[in-house]
Amino acid sequence: MLYFITSNNNKFEEARAILQMEMEQLDIDLPELQDIDAHNVIKAKLNEAMRHHEGEFIVDDVSLVFDALKGELPGPFIKWFLQSLGAEGIYDFVSKLGDTRATAKLIVGYADGKDNIHFFEGAVEGNIVKPAGERFGWDPIFLPKGYNKTYAQMPQDEKNKMSHRHLALTKLKEFLQTK
Amino acid sequence: MLYFITSNNNKFEEARAILQMEMEQLDIDLPELQDIDAHNVIKAKLNEAMRHHEGEFIVDDVSLVFDALKGELPGPFIKWFLQSLGAEGIYDFVSKLGDTRATAKLIVGYADGKDNIHFFEGAVEGNIVKPAGERFGWDPIFLPKGYNKTYAQMPQDEKNKMSHRHLALTKLKEFLQTK
């Protein structure tokens, strides 16, 4: 059995829609490792899941990185920046740094049940802008390159076709279909 | 037996000098939880240590927070900012935010061997300045309030008498002496 580890039902349904495979949501609370590299965060979660369960597992982690912070930060720590500063606060912060370019990344890890972990990355370049549109998280301040709408201003199905999440899950799908 | 959990011999010797108690260094590699609150990072480590060993344990964690980032960030993530940007890069970054005030904190957690964890905090206010003096980490860019020398420009014994580390360990010492 293939398990997608998340407590978020929407994430699970979106993943199932893209992957079009039989899979189950596994809502277990795995500690989040403190590491600037999302691959290590994911690897720790998959190893922990494999200690307790049989099967194949998928775990993902979102990173948002700013060109003004060497394209490395805040990385996986973006969730804490969002919690502390809010979306508008992040916009103010990045504006002051004088370079609003940013890249949104989803890293997906897949544990194949035979001790191998495979990673797939979806990345979308863009800019951090003044909040526009209503949606959770940093969607209102992320303007993807080549678009005139923030993530939050796009209808969900339009975003789902081009997002960093979509790109990463599509790569995973191709891998699972050909293995 | 009282164990101080660290891989850093200097930290251990400094703690022993301040605490003046019989204790041993325990160099075990405990995963670092991703949390903006150092108390949770420490609690996770102590709980993990208690699962594998008998005894009393001390774990510490350093946070550096900037007034420009609500006095909450980067917090425990400062180590990754230092790794990515370097001390001078952090100075540039904080300067652009227009407010260089910062607070250095050491949080110490003590597990008493009876399932209780006690926390002690040492905090020193200051400013982030252009690098001055030679020492590891962010010592060259931290100018404590009321001083005209950065941490790195102070002789080690002068710093040891006023640092966030000293303040926190002194509180722990008082607690251990009176318990």
Side-chain angles (χ1 to χ4, degrees), chain A residues 29-49:
Chain A
D29 194 27
L30 298 174
E32 192 115 343
L33 186 74
Q34 188 188 117
D35 199 296
I36 197 174
D37 185 343
H39 295 86
N40 294 332
V41 178
I42 290 168
K43 205 191 282 182
K45 284 192 176 177
L46 288 172
N47 285 331
E48 186 66 21

Side-chain angles (χ1 to χ4, degrees), chain B residues 7 17 24-25 28 39 42 50 62-63 65 70 89 129 132 135 140 147 151 166 169 171:
Chain B
S7 55
E24 279 186 16
Q25 183 176 1
I28 48 175
H39 295 85
I42 290 168
M50 289 188 277
V62 173
S63 285
V65 298
K70 285 203 169 176
V129 297
R135 202 173 284 150
Y147 288 79
Y151 264 6
H166 174 82
L169 289 173
K171 286 183 188 171

Side-chain angles (χ1 to χ4, degrees), chain A residues 122-133:
Chain A
V124 173
E125 292 180 20
N127 280 274
I128 301 299
V129 296
K130 221 175 148 59

Side-chain angles (χ1 to χ4, degrees), chain B residues 19-151:
Chain B
L19 295 174
Q20 295 177 299
M21 298 184 65
E22 201 185 325
M23 52 192 260
E24 279 186 16
Q25 183 176 1
L26 188 60
D27 182 1
I28 48 175
D29 195 26
L30 298 175
E32 192 114 342
L33 186 73
Q34 189 188 118
D35 199 295
I36 197 174
D37 185 343
H39 295 85
N40 294 332
V41 178
I42 290 168
K43 205 190 283 182
K45 285 192 175 177
L46 287 172
N47 284 331
E48 186 66 21
M50 289 188 277
R51 261 199 288 280
H52 300 292
H53 297 265
E54 287 278 311
E56 298 164 57
F57 302 96
I58 300 168
V59 167
D60 67 35
D61 201 62
V62 173
S63 285
L64 187 65
V65 298
F66 304 136
D67 285 35
L69 296 176
K70 285 203 169 176
E72 293 178 347
L73 288 162
F77 309 138
I78 182 63
K79 55 179 90 62
W80 305 102
F81 276 69
L82 190 65
Q83 179 186 300
S84 177
L85 306 177
E88 180 132 28
I90 292 175
Y91 162 69
D92 288 340
F93 159 65
V94 177
S95 300
K96 285 182 186 157
L97 298 180
D99 182 347
T100 60
R101 287 174 298 166
T103 303
K105 292 182 191 174
L106 187 81
I107 320 268
V108 179
Y110 162 67
D112 64 3
K114 303 181 202 88
D115 277 340
N116 306 305
I117 296 178
H118 304 268
F119 290 104
F120 307 91
E121 180 175 324
V124 174
E125 293 180 18
N127 279 273
I128 301 299
V129 297
K130 220 175 148 59
E134 302 285 332
R135 202 173 284 150
F136 61 89
W138 42 266
D139 273 19
I141 57 168
F142 188 72
L143 178 69
K145 215 184 205 169
Y147 288 79
N148 55 12
K149 288 181 280 197
T150 65
Y151 264 6

